[in-house]
Amino acid sequence: KEDRLDILVNNAGATWGAEIDEFPESGWDKTMDLNVKYLFFLTQKFLGALRAAGDKDDPARVINIGSVNGITHPHMTNYAYSASKAAVHQLTRHMGADLAPQYINVNGIAPGFFPSKMTSHLLDHADELGAGMPRGRIGDAKDAAGTAIYLSSRASAWMTGQVLVLDGGLVANAG
């Protein structure tokens, strides 16, 4: 209904866990389709509206949500998830370079452990998990909101193709 779109946040995600010998193709496809394929094609569908919103000084924004699992070994059997989030990070860099001349900035966020439907099975141990991180806690809504607001604001107008790691120091501490 709108002819312009200032900000598109691609924040859908699915995961699948199974030992490598039993990992099903259907789980791989479901995860890759939602996490990578749909992100790309949804962005493609909104390019006209994004182009209409951006200008030289203040481009339109696309924010892709990746994961620290796409950067470091996750120590879980979520093969498709970690591969898909690594693909999201590369797609962010690729699209960021290609769309910048059209006044569309594409950046990403690679969150660490945050409360969500996907992590709900671990929330009973959130304090314990957070204590093992350099910042001593898990992420919260204010952390995520602040990062998204920065990427949506004029302050990030000269930044494209980057993935901000938002993980309380987890990746930096990975070694």
Side-chain angles (χ1 to χ4, degrees):
K1 294 181 181 182
E2 303 296 326
D3 60 349
R4 55 181 281 147
L5 178 63
D6 295 292
I7 303 159
L8 171 63
V9 179
N10 289 311
N11 185 32
T15 191
W16 197 287
E19 295 298 326
I20 195 165
D21 291 328
E22 291 107 29
F23 204 97
E25 186 174 351
S26 61
W28 184 273
D29 291 346
K30 175 185 174 183
T31 303
M32 286 293 190
D33 282 355
L34 182 62
N35 296 1
V36 183
K37 178 181 175 182
Y38 297 159
L39 176 150
F40 177 82
F41 287 105
L42 181 67
T43 303
Q44 182 188 61
K45 296 291 183 202
F46 281 111
L47 284 176
L50 289 160
R51 287 179 183 121
D55 63 44
K56 182 178 180 180
D57 293 322
D58 197 14
R61 308 299 202 286
V62 175
I63 302 170
N64 295 328
I65 307 302
S67 172
V68 295
N69 284 192
I71 298 171
T72 61
H73 188 291
H75 302 287
M76 294 180 277
T77 60
N78 60 347
Y79 300 101
Y81 181 78
S82 60
S84 73
K85 292 304 184 173
V88 167
H89 300 163
Q90 179 58 24
L91 193 56
T92 298
R93 289 185 286 271
H94 194 156
M95 291 169 58
D98 289 353
L99 294 175
Q102 300 173 45
Y103 308 127
I104 302 169
N105 284 2
V106 182
N107 290 295
I109 302 171
F113 186 64
F114 278 79
S116 70
K117 183 178 177 185
M118 196 177 296
T119 63
S120 63
H121 65 287
L122 299 171
L123 292 179
D124 289 342
H125 307 285
D127 290 340
E128 180 183 332
L129 291 168
M133 296 181 191
R135 289 286 296 125
R137 65 175 176 82
I138 65 170
D140 64 28
K142 291 176 189 170
D143 298 318
T147 305
I149 289 168
Y150 166 70
L151 289 176
S152 300
S153 75
R154 176 63 177 87
S156 71
W158 207 54
M159 179 179 161
T160 192
Q162 301 301 308
V163 178
L164 297 177
V165 177
L166 182 61
D167 70 346
L170 187 68
V171 169
N173 198 44

